[in-house]
Amino acid sequence: MNVDSIRDYCLSLRQAAEKLQWGDALCFKVNEKMFAVLGLDRVRLIFKCTLEIFVELIERPDIRPSPYLGRHNWVMLDRLDALRTDELKDLLQQSYEMVAANALKTVGKKTVVKKANRKTAKSKPARAAKRNNSCPRKKR
């Protein structure tokens, strides 16, 4: 696969978006979470995989743990032809699905936290008002 075919494939996935970040990195995201990164100046591809696949892939030539993200099972292809086209598409699909599933969980948690913060924010002024009314200051 080449840069254009990888870009086309990633954007064909449901709700996938792209964003140019860090100078030359084209990030593919679902719900604001990255599932693949394509380096444009120095061509390379980074994506998330399961632990079993990660261990298997890093044994192959031109594939290594991704800098900074390798501890989270992200691999880096130093060459885009390090994997067959069908295999790469399957791995990108898996990366997308893992990240999309986690992004939905995160969105759900953030929504709950925001609702809880709204209640707390509304109740604080009410408590402060009660406190001020119950203990009036003496005027001099």
Side-chain angles (χ1 to χ4, degrees):
M1 291 184 86
N2 61 26
V3 170
D4 292 328
S5 61
I6 291 172
R7 180 179 177 269
D8 291 343
Y9 180 74
C10 288
L11 291 177
S12 73
L13 301 171
R14 198 172 131 238
Q15 295 181 336
E18 65 181 344
K19 183 176 181 183
L20 190 62
Q21 289 183 216
W22 310 302
D24 77 325
L26 189 57
C27 298
F28 298 99
K29 298 181 176 192
V30 57
N31 295 330
E32 300 295 320
K33 302 289 183 185
M34 290 188 317
F35 68 90
V37 180
L38 182 60
L40 300 175
D41 291 342
R42 197 182 99 231
V43 178
R44 64 210 177 281
L45 179 65
I46 301 167
F47 57 89
K48 184 176 181 67
C49 51
T50 64
L51 178 60
E52 297 80 23
I53 293 172
F54 175 83
V55 171
E56 181 184 315
L57 287 177
I58 61 173
E59 296 296 320
R60 296 186 188 187
D62 299 315
I63 303 175
R64 58 190 167 107
S66 170
Y68 309 110
L69 296 172
R71 63 189 170 136
H72 299 290
N73 302 326
W74 285 68
V75 294
M76 176 187 278
L77 306 183
D78 292 323
R79 291 186 3 244
L80 298 182
D81 61 350
L83 294 170
R84 291 185 329 267
T85 299
D86 61 327
E87 190 176 15
L88 182 54
K89 283 183 176 181
D90 185 47
L91 291 168
L92 287 170
Q93 175 75 36
Q94 289 176 31
S95 177
Y96 167 85
E97 289 171 0
M98 285 187 289
V99 172
N102 285 335
L104 291 176
K105 288 179 191 174
T106 304
V107 168
K109 287 179 185 176
K110 285 182 181 177
T111 304
V112 171
V113 170
K114 285 180 183 176
K115 286 180 183 175
N117 286 342
R118 284 187 197 144
K119 282 185 178 180
T120 312
K122 287 180 184 176
S123 62
K124 283 183 182 178
R127 280 190 243 146
K130 285 181 184 177
R131 201 172 35 236
N132 289 341
N133 290 340
S134 62
C135 295
R137 289 187 175 182
K138 294 181 180 180
K139 294 182 181 178
R140 294 185 188 185

